[in-house]
Amino acid sequence: PPEKPTIIKCRSPEKETFTCWWKPGSDGGHPTNYTLLYSKEGEQQIYECPDYRTAGPNSCYFDKKHTSFWTIYNITVRATNEMGSNVSDPRYVDVTYIVQPDPPVNVTLELKKPINRKTYLVLTWSPPPLADIRSGWLTLEYELRLKPEEGEEWETVFVGQQTQYKMFSLNPGKKYIIQIHCKADHYGLWSEWSPEYYIEIPTDFRVRDM
Amino acid sequence: LPICPNGSVNCQLSLGELFERAVKLSHYIHLLSTEIFNEFDERYAQGRDFIARAVNGCHTASLTTPEDKEQAQQTHHEDLLNLILGVLRSWNDPLIHLASEVQRIKEAPDTILWKAVEIEEKNKRLLEGIQKIIGRFHSGEIGNEVYSQWEGLPSLQLADEDSRLFAFYTLLHCFRRDSNKIDSYLRLLKCRLIHNNNC
């Protein structure tokens, strides 16, 4: 029979839906079919995956209608072919704690040169589009990191829930790389980092200005 | 300067200020509940597969509460506040015993001990705050909300260590869940009632 599959990850990008992925075991060259089965805390019934397609191969997508919070899903995947079948170890999931948002978007960098005051860099960004911040259902906190283009060490700054940050301590003539990521505040996983954004600090930007 | 300096008469916090404080407190309680759960899990639960046994283990499971965003958004704010009050009240008793019984766990680190005490105290404060908020909506009797009785004290005092640790694990797992639930509902209500759904 086929080797038992492994459930490798479950993730909710916006605390409204979630997806689980599995890795097949070896199938001995026999065409093998995979079935994801789950039960929910407080219920005896066993359900099958509602949607094997939306999230691509070896995955199961749970839309809003099939997603409940503060309840444990007991999830297994069964591999079946002509030689027999085998079931994965169970994965216990509370969707509340698998929230991993998409990275922030619309990142802008702008150098500000106010008269008689220090010059500074203003970063602004927006929450990932899927995240419903307005209703209060999801609250995100952000962290940014930067380093000189040729540098090795990232400097990381936790900025809480704000979507703007001012930076004063940049060196004239240097080019910097900046990225931002986010997570549901105090639970879940950090998103991937945003793409890298570059900013070059002009050389006429005298140290005294800083 | 405190909004309501001591001795001031008829000084009332705005509803917005009450919600601001309630959300801050529920946020802090959930943070503590996550930390104490993770710490207990790392120190006492590794390899024991407690999560599989904790399913269906929460004493508050009998309280019907919204399970997703749509359900929560469709729940009237007074009903949601009463649900929050019911969940908080359901935790009064177990948190008192958690704070005392946790002292008896073998080599329980101070960080677990003080967090248990802090959670119990803060949960009481939040309950009082929610009562104040409810009081702003109607002057009727508060305290008739549905809550769930906890009968788990004997299990925290079992002689068999595995069973006793499992009882603590279940309690901490369930409290982390319920404190997240309360935090989520309060944020929704704050955005709905104070910020016109535009947080």
Side-chain angles (χ1 to χ4, degrees):
Chain A
E3 212 178 27
K4 71 177 177 182
T6 308
I7 299 172
I8 46 176
K9 179 173 183 171
C10 294
R11 173 195 179 217
S12 169
E14 74 308 59
K15 197 181 163 186
E16 296 192 43
T17 66
F18 75 103
T19 300
C20 288
W21 291 266
W22 65 83
K23 194 176 102 195
S26 73
D27 57 18
H30 300 280
T32 301
N33 187 53
Y34 294 90
T35 309
L36 181 140
L37 299 171
Y38 70 96
S39 61
K40 282 166 69 174
E41 184 170 1
E43 298 176 18
Q44 292 302 321
Q45 196 170 341
I46 293 181
Y47 306 91
E48 185 176 354
C49 165
D51 177 348
Y52 286 105
R53 291 178 186 284
T54 295
N58 299 322
S59 75
C60 176
Y61 171 70
F62 296 76
D63 63 9
K64 289 182 185 181
K65 215 176 54 190
H66 294 92
T67 298
S68 301
F69 291 84
W70 307 301
T71 188
I72 292 180
Y73 284 70
N74 177 339
I75 301 171
T76 54
V77 175
R78 188 177 58 217
T80 308
N81 63 24
E82 59 193 359
M83 304 302 287
S85 73
N86 216 331
V87 181
S88 73
D89 294 337
R91 180 99 170 200
Y92 296 93
V93 173
D94 183 332
V95 184
T96 314
Y97 295 101
I98 58 166
V99 176
Q100 178 185 30
D102 294 326
V105 296
N106 306 333
V107 178
T108 67
L109 311 177
E110 190 183 353
L111 268 179
K112 297 271 189 179
K113 294 187 176 188
I115 299 166
N116 300 330
R117 279 182 46 227
K118 286 186 178 175
T119 298
Y120 55 90
L121 174 63
V122 178
L123 290 90
T124 65
W125 58 88
S126 307
L130 285 179
D132 175 4
I133 309 294
R134 281 183 200 288
S135 77
W137 179 250
L138 184 59
T139 303
L140 294 178
E141 50 190 25
Y142 301 91
E143 190 176 67
L144 58 92
R145 68 179 183 181
L146 87 158
K147 69 180 174 108
E149 190 176 29
E150 73 291 343
E152 289 303 319
E153 287 293 312
W154 287 99
E155 178 194 346
T156 303
V157 182
F158 177 76
V159 299
Q161 296 174 22
Q162 57 191 48
T163 54
Q164 169 177 298
Y165 190 72
K166 292 177 182 171
M167 305 198 83
F168 291 88
S169 53
L170 299 172
N171 297 325
K174 269 239 195 298
K175 197 171 182 182
Y176 287 91
I177 305 174
I178 293 172
Q179 290 179 294
I180 300 174
H181 65 176
C182 58
K183 83 178 178 63
D185 79 346
H186 72 248
Y187 58 89
L189 305 165
W190 283 105
S191 72
E192 297 298 325
W193 287 102
S194 67
E196 292 182 345
Y197 293 87
Y198 292 80
I199 182 89
E200 187 153 4
I201 310 304
T203 48
D204 63 353
F205 164 75
R206 277 158 299 129
V207 175
R208 194 170 51 74
D209 290 346
M210 285 172 46
Chain B
L1 185 69
I3 290 176
C4 275
N6 289 337
S8 57
V9 182
N10 288 332
C11 172
Q12 243 188 356
L13 295 179
S14 69
L15 186 62
E17 185 56 36
L18 283 176
F19 263 108
E20 193 66 36
R21 294 182 181 198
V23 166
K24 269 200 184 101
L25 198 45
S26 73
H27 179 121
Y28 177 56
I29 292 169
H30 179 248
L31 191 65
L32 285 175
S33 71
T34 299
E35 287 174 0
I36 195 171
F37 172 77
N38 289 338
E39 205 171 335
F40 185 92
D41 185 44
E42 269 158 43
R43 184 179 278 267
Y44 296 106
Q46 292 309 296
R48 295 178 190 248
D49 206 19
F50 280 164
I51 184 70
R53 294 158 50 189
V55 174
N56 300 317
C58 298
H59 74 289
T60 50
S62 58
L63 300 175
T64 306
T65 55
E67 286 185 348
D68 60 36
K69 181 174 91 169
E70 272 70 31
Q71 286 178 31
Q73 287 180 321
Q74 284 147 22
T75 306
H76 188 274
H77 58 268
E78 288 192 46
D79 296 331
L80 205 45
L81 284 165
N82 274 315
L83 280 174
I84 291 168
L85 202 59
V87 175
L88 287 169
R89 200 180 293 286
S90 303
W91 280 101
N92 248 357
D93 202 26
L95 291 178
I96 290 170
H97 292 292
L98 175 68
S100 57
E101 294 301 325
V102 86
Q103 323 277 334
R104 282 190 253 277
I105 295 179
K106 194 171 63 181
E107 293 156 29
D110 287 345
T111 46
I112 284 185
L113 305 183
W114 80 259
K115 280 177 183 143
V117 173
E118 177 86 341
I119 283 171
E120 192 247 326
E121 198 266 324
K122 291 297 187 286
N123 199 71
K124 228 179 291 176
R125 283 266 306 281
L126 182 56
L127 194 144
E128 291 155 11
I130 300 302
Q131 286 172 328
K132 277 189 187 143
I133 290 175
I134 290 176
R136 295 296 176 84
F137 291 101
H138 62 73
S139 54
E141 189 54 46
I142 294 176
N144 51 13
E145 77 289 335
V146 176
Y147 75 96
S148 178
Q149 195 63 40
W150 177 71
E151 273 113 21
L153 179 56
S155 61
L156 295 185
Q157 299 168 330
L158 289 169
D160 170 60
E161 189 192 44
D162 183 78
S163 307
R164 193 172 70 254
L165 289 176
F166 172 63
F168 276 105
Y169 176 92
T170 301
L171 207 58
L172 295 171
H173 154 76
C174 295
F175 184 67
R176 177 176 76 142
R177 165 190 286 183
D178 281 349
S179 63
N180 182 282
K181 190 181 277 192
I182 287 166
D183 192 50
S184 294
Y185 294 161
L186 281 175
R187 287 165 190 258
L188 271 183
L189 286 171
K190 177 174 164 243
C191 290
R192 186 196 300 180
L193 299 173
I194 310 301
H195 302 294
N196 204 21
N197 267 324
N198 192 14
C199 270

mmCIF file of all heavy atoms in Angstrom, chain B residues 25-51:
data_model
loop_
_atom_site.group_PDB
_atom_site.id
_atom_site.type_symbol
_atom_site.label_atom_id
_atom_site.label_comp_id
_atom_site.label_asym_id
_atom_site.label_seq_id
_atom_site.Cartn_x
_atom_site.Cartn_y
_atom_site.Cartn_z
ATOM 1 N N LEU B 25 -7.312 45.685 28.133
ATOM 2 C CA LEU B 25 -7.255 44.662 29.191
ATOM 3 C C LEU B 25 -7.425 43.265 28.597
ATOM 4 O O LEU B 25 -6.665 42.343 28.928
ATOM 5 C CB LEU B 25 -8.357 44.964 30.224
ATOM 6 C CG LEU B 25 -8.280 44.328 31.606
ATOM 7 C CD1 LEU B 25 -6.880 44.418 32.183
ATOM 8 C CD2 LEU B 25 -9.303 44.975 32.535
ATOM 9 N N SER B 26 -8.365 43.120 27.672
ATOM 10 C CA SER B 26 -8.603 41.780 27.100
ATOM 11 C C SER B 26 -7.405 41.361 26.261
ATOM 12 O O SER B 26 -7.032 40.198 26.221
ATOM 13 C CB SER B 26 -9.876 41.776 26.268
ATOM 14 O OG SER B 26 -9.695 42.459 25.056
ATOM 15 N N HIS B 27 -6.769 42.345 25.616
ATOM 16 C CA HIS B 27 -5.557 42.079 24.827
ATOM 17 C C HIS B 27 -4.464 41.541 25.755
ATOM 18 O O HIS B 27 -3.817 40.537 25.491
ATOM 19 C CB HIS B 27 -5.146 43.403 24.193
ATOM 20 C CG HIS B 27 -3.916 43.365 23.358
ATOM 21 N ND1 HIS B 27 -3.918 43.712 22.023
ATOM 22 C CD2 HIS B 27 -2.639 43.045 23.641
ATOM 23 C CE1 HIS B 27 -2.692 43.612 21.552
ATOM 24 N NE2 HIS B 27 -1.881 43.211 22.516
ATOM 25 N N TYR B 28 -4.297 42.232 26.887
ATOM 26 C CA TYR B 28 -3.260 41.856 27.861
ATOM 27 C C TYR B 28 -3.560 40.469 28.449
ATOM 28 O O TYR B 28 -2.679 39.620 28.562
ATOM 29 C CB TYR B 28 -3.203 42.911 28.960
ATOM 30 C CG TYR B 28 -2.226 42.621 30.065
ATOM 31 C CD1 TYR B 28 -0.879 42.386 29.793
ATOM 32 C CD2 TYR B 28 -2.645 42.575 31.405
ATOM 33 C CE1 TYR B 28 0.031 42.107 30.799
ATOM 34 C CE2 TYR B 28 -1.737 42.300 32.428
ATOM 35 C CZ TYR B 28 -0.413 42.061 32.116
ATOM 36 O OH TYR B 28 0.472 41.785 33.133
ATOM 37 N N ILE B 29 -4.819 40.227 28.777
ATOM 38 C CA ILE B 29 -5.188 38.924 29.344
ATOM 39 C C ILE B 29 -4.902 37.813 28.343
ATOM 40 O O ILE B 29 -4.362 36.760 28.692
ATOM 41 C CB ILE B 29 -6.675 38.918 29.761
ATOM 42 C CG1 ILE B 29 -6.905 39.848 30.954
ATOM 43 C CG2 ILE B 29 -7.150 37.503 30.073
ATOM 44 C CD1 ILE B 29 -8.364 40.105 31.266
ATOM 45 N N HIS B 30 -5.220 38.067 27.070
ATOM 46 C CA HIS B 30 -4.968 37.012 26.079
ATOM 47 C C HIS B 30 -3.467 36.791 25.894
ATOM 48 O O HIS B 30 -3.013 35.666 25.719
ATOM 49 C CB HIS B 30 -5.610 37.339 24.734
ATOM 50 C CG HIS B 30 -5.340 36.273 23.714
ATOM 51 N ND1 HIS B 30 -4.549 36.478 22.611
ATOM 52 C CD2 HIS B 30 -5.704 34.968 23.665
ATOM 53 C CE1 HIS B 30 -4.459 35.357 21.933
ATOM 54 N NE2 HIS B 30 -5.145 34.410 22.548
ATOM 55 N N LEU B 31 -2.724 37.885 25.957
ATOM 56 C CA LEU B 31 -1.262 37.749 25.859
ATOM 57 C C LEU B 31 -0.745 36.869 27.003
ATOM 58 O O LEU B 31 0.016 35.915 26.781
ATOM 59 C CB LEU B 31 -0.631 39.143 25.939
ATOM 60 C CG LEU B 31 0.844 39.278 25.617
ATOM 61 C CD1 LEU B 31 1.116 38.930 24.166
ATOM 62 C CD2 LEU B 31 1.318 40.705 25.889
ATOM 63 N N LEU B 32 -1.204 37.150 28.217
ATOM 64 C CA LEU B 32 -0.792 36.361 29.386
ATOM 65 C C LEU B 32 -1.236 34.906 29.227
ATOM 66 O O LEU B 32 -0.469 33.981 29.498
ATOM 67 C CB LEU B 32 -1.419 36.927 30.669
ATOM 68 C CG LEU B 32 -0.861 38.203 31.238
ATOM 69 C CD1 LEU B 32 -1.702 38.647 32.434
ATOM 70 C CD2 LEU B 32 0.599 38.025 31.666
ATOM 71 N N SER B 33 -2.452 34.717 28.748
ATOM 72 C CA SER B 33 -2.975 33.346 28.633
ATOM 73 C C SER B 33 -2.177 32.555 27.608
ATOM 74 O O SER B 33 -1.943 31.363 27.784
ATOM 75 C CB SER B 33 -4.449 33.371 28.234
ATOM 76 O OG SER B 33 -4.597 33.792 26.887
ATOM 77 N N THR B 34 -1.729 33.237 26.543
ATOM 78 C CA THR B 34 -0.912 32.569 25.523
ATOM 79 C C THR B 34 0.446 32.220 26.111
ATOM 80 O O THR B 34 0.941 31.098 25.942
ATOM 81 C CB THR B 34 -0.742 33.482 24.299
ATOM 82 O OG1 THR B 34 -2.037 33.755 23.758
ATOM 83 C CG2 THR B 34 0.119 32.843 23.230
ATOM 84 N N GLU B 35 1.017 33.157 26.857
ATOM 85 C CA GLU B 35 2.350 32.907 27.438
ATOM 86 C C GLU B 35 2.305 31.781 28.453
ATOM 87 O O GLU B 35 3.139 30.877 28.434
ATOM 88 C CB GLU B 35 2.887 34.189 28.086
ATOM 89 C CG GLU B 35 3.326 35.242 27.084
ATOM 90 C CD GLU B 35 3.727 36.549 27.750
ATOM 91 O OE1 GLU B 35 3.667 36.626 29.005
ATOM 92 O OE2 GLU B 35 4.092 37.492 27.034
ATOM 93 N N ILE B 36 1.314 31.796 29.343
ATOM 94 C CA ILE B 36 1.262 30.765 30.389
ATOM 95 C C ILE B 36 0.964 29.413 29.768
ATOM 96 O O ILE B 36 1.530 28.381 30.169
ATOM 97 C CB ILE B 36 0.241 31.131 31.484
ATOM 98 C CG1 ILE B 36 0.455 30.279 32.737
ATOM 99 C CG2 ILE B 36 -1.192 31.003 30.995
ATOM 100 C CD1 ILE B 36 -0.376 30.722 33.930
ATOM 101 N N PHE B 37 0.110 29.391 28.732
ATOM 102 C CA PHE B 37 -0.183 28.119 28.054
ATOM 103 C C PHE B 37 1.079 27.575 27.377
ATOM 104 O O PHE B 37 1.427 26.401 27.546
ATOM 105 C CB PHE B 37 -1.288 28.293 27.012
ATOM 106 C CG PHE B 37 -1.483 27.069 26.155
ATOM 107 C CD1 PHE B 37 -2.165 25.963 26.635
ATOM 108 C CD2 PHE B 37 -0.930 26.999 24.877
ATOM 109 C CE1 PHE B 37 -2.305 24.808 25.873
ATOM 110 C CE2 PHE B 37 -1.060 25.858 24.102
ATOM 111 C CZ PHE B 37 -1.749 24.765 24.608
ATOM 112 N N ASN B 38 1.765 28.448 26.626
ATOM 113 C CA ASN B 38 2.965 27.989 25.907
ATOM 114 C C ASN B 38 4.025 27.490 26.874
ATOM 115 O O ASN B 38 4.673 26.463 26.645
ATOM 116 C CB ASN B 38 3.525 29.114 25.027
ATOM 117 C CG ASN B 38 2.627 29.383 23.824
ATOM 118 O OD1 ASN B 38 1.838 28.525 23.413
ATOM 119 N ND2 ASN B 38 2.693 30.590 23.280
ATOM 120 N N GLU B 39 4.173 28.224 27.981
ATOM 121 C CA GLU B 39 5.201 27.845 28.955
ATOM 122 C C GLU B 39 4.863 26.495 29.595
ATOM 123 O O GLU B 39 5.704 25.621 29.741
ATOM 124 C CB GLU B 39 5.281 28.927 30.035
ATOM 125 C CG GLU B 39 6.614 28.994 30.711
ATOM 126 C CD GLU B 39 6.737 30.224 31.619
ATOM 127 O OE1 GLU B 39 6.029 31.232 31.377
ATOM 128 O OE2 GLU B 39 7.531 30.162 32.553
ATOM 129 N N PHE B 40 3.596 26.319 29.950
ATOM 130 C CA PHE B 40 3.160 25.042 30.549
ATOM 131 C C PHE B 40 3.312 23.924 29.534
ATOM 132 O O PHE B 40 3.821 22.846 29.860
ATOM 133 C CB PHE B 40 1.702 25.154 31.006
ATOM 134 C CG PHE B 40 1.211 23.942 31.738
ATOM 135 C CD1 PHE B 40 1.309 23.865 33.122
ATOM 136 C CD2 PHE B 40 0.680 22.854 31.052
ATOM 137 C CE1 PHE B 40 0.886 22.735 33.801
ATOM 138 C CE2 PHE B 40 0.251 21.720 31.715
ATOM 139 C CZ PHE B 40 0.358 21.663 33.102
ATOM 140 N N ASP B 41 2.916 24.192 28.294
ATOM 141 C CA ASP B 41 2.982 23.189 27.230
ATOM 142 C C ASP B 41 4.426 22.729 27.019
ATOM 143 O O ASP B 41 4.703 21.530 26.963
ATOM 144 C CB ASP B 41 2.432 23.789 25.936
ATOM 145 C CG ASP B 41 2.347 22.780 24.807
ATOM 146 O OD1 ASP B 41 1.897 21.642 25.042
ATOM 147 O OD2 ASP B 41 2.774 23.120 23.688
ATOM 148 N N GLU B 42 5.340 23.698 26.969
ATOM 149 C CA GLU B 42 6.749 23.349 26.743
ATOM 150 C C GLU B 42 7.314 22.552 27.912
ATOM 151 O O GLU B 42 8.059 21.611 27.737
ATOM 152 C CB GLU B 42 7.577 24.623 26.551
ATOM 153 C CG GLU B 42 7.710 25.088 25.117
ATOM 154 C CD GLU B 42 8.052 26.572 25.062
ATOM 155 O OE1 GLU B 42 8.929 26.979 25.877
ATOM 156 O OE2 GLU B 42 7.431 27.295 24.260
ATOM 157 N N ARG B 43 6.925 22.922 29.126
ATOM 158 C CA ARG B 43 7.567 22.349 30.315
ATOM 159 C C ARG B 43 6.920 21.017 30.724
ATOM 160 O O ARG B 43 7.608 20.102 31.197
ATOM 161 C CB ARG B 43 7.468 23.361 31.460
ATOM 162 C CG ARG B 43 8.177 22.945 32.715
ATOM 163 C CD ARG B 43 8.058 24.022 33.788
ATOM 164 N NE ARG B 43 9.048 25.066 33.593
ATOM 165 C CZ ARG B 43 10.242 25.059 34.195
ATOM 166 N NH1 ARG B 43 10.587 24.055 34.987
ATOM 167 N NH2 ARG B 43 11.081 26.041 33.998
ATOM 168 N N TYR B 44 5.579 20.902 30.523
ATOM 169 C CA TYR B 44 4.915 19.730 31.127
ATOM 170 C C TYR B 44 4.148 18.861 30.128
ATOM 171 O O TYR B 44 3.694 17.785 30.495
ATOM 172 C CB TYR B 44 3.915 20.198 32.198
ATOM 173 C CG TYR B 44 4.533 20.892 33.363
ATOM 174 C CD1 TYR B 44 4.422 22.284 33.498
ATOM 175 C CD2 TYR B 44 5.260 20.198 34.329
ATOM 176 C CE1 TYR B 44 5.003 22.943 34.564
ATOM 177 C CE2 TYR B 44 5.850 20.856 35.396
ATOM 178 C CZ TYR B 44 5.716 22.223 35.516
ATOM 179 O OH TYR B 44 6.309 22.886 36.561
ATOM 180 N N ALA B 45 3.993 19.334 28.860
ATOM 181 C CA ALA B 45 3.044 18.596 28.000
ATOM 182 C C ALA B 45 3.713 17.927 26.804
ATOM 183 O O ALA B 45 3.054 17.230 26.042
ATOM 184 C CB ALA B 45 1.969 19.555 27.498
ATOM 185 N N GLN B 46 5.025 18.152 26.664
ATOM 186 C CA GLN B 46 5.674 17.625 25.459
ATOM 187 C C GLN B 46 5.566 16.097 25.390
ATOM 188 O O GLN B 46 5.814 15.406 26.386
ATOM 189 C CB GLN B 46 7.151 18.046 25.445
ATOM 190 C CG GLN B 46 7.347 19.544 25.246
ATOM 191 C CD GLN B 46 6.595 20.087 24.060
ATOM 192 O OE1 GLN B 46 6.849 19.733 22.905
ATOM 193 N NE2 GLN B 46 5.596 20.927 24.310
ATOM 194 N N GLY B 47 5.134 15.608 24.229
ATOM 195 C CA GLY B 47 5.088 14.170 24.016
ATOM 196 C C GLY B 47 3.921 13.474 24.687
ATOM 197 O O GLY B 47 3.760 12.262 24.600
ATOM 198 N N ARG B 48 3.043 14.213 25.404
ATOM 199 C CA ARG B 48 1.930 13.556 26.099
ATOM 200 C C ARG B 48 0.639 13.602 25.278
ATOM 201 O O ARG B 48 -0.390 13.066 25.708
ATOM 202 C CB ARG B 48 1.689 14.223 27.463
ATOM 203 C CG ARG B 48 2.854 14.058 28.455
ATOM 204 C CD ARG B 48 2.531 14.786 29.750
ATOM 205 N NE ARG B 48 3.658 14.873 30.664
ATOM 206 C CZ ARG B 48 3.707 14.225 31.842
ATOM 207 N NH1 ARG B 48 2.704 13.440 32.212
ATOM 208 N NH2 ARG B 48 4.745 14.346 32.641
ATOM 209 N N ASP B 49 0.678 14.309 24.118
ATOM 210 C CA ASP B 49 -0.488 14.368 23.228
ATOM 211 C C ASP B 49 -1.749 14.841 23.952
ATOM 212 O O ASP B 49 -2.850 14.347 23.700
ATOM 213 C CB ASP B 49 -0.716 12.993 22.574
ATOM 214 C CG ASP B 49 -1.447 13.129 21.237
ATOM 215 O OD1 ASP B 49 -1.417 14.258 20.694
ATOM 216 O OD2 ASP B 49 -2.058 12.166 20.790
ATOM 217 N N PHE B 50 -1.556 15.788 24.836
ATOM 218 C CA PHE B 50 -2.703 16.304 25.600
ATOM 219 C C PHE B 50 -3.750 16.922 24.676
ATOM 220 O O PHE B 50 -4.952 16.843 24.947
ATOM 221 C CB PHE B 50 -2.228 17.364 26.608
ATOM 222 C CG PHE B 50 -1.623 16.794 27.867
ATOM 223 C CD1 PHE B 50 -0.856 17.601 28.708
ATOM 224 C CD2 PHE B 50 -1.821 15.463 28.217
ATOM 225 C CE1 PHE B 50 -0.295 17.096 29.885
ATOM 226 C CE2 PHE B 50 -1.264 14.946 29.379
ATOM 227 C CZ PHE B 50 -0.506 15.757 30.214
ATOM 228 N N ILE B 51 -3.291 17.532 23.541
ATOM 229 C CA ILE B 51 -4.253 18.248 22.688
ATOM 230 C C ILE B 51 -5.345 17.312 22.189
ATOM 231 O O ILE B 51 -6.516 17.658 22.158
ATOM 232 C CB ILE B 51 -3.537 18.962 21.508
ATOM 233 C CG1 ILE B 51 -4.545 19.781 20.684
ATOM 234 C CG2 ILE B 51 -2.832 17.960 20.606
ATOM 235 C CD1 ILE B 51 -5.076 20.978 21.358
#
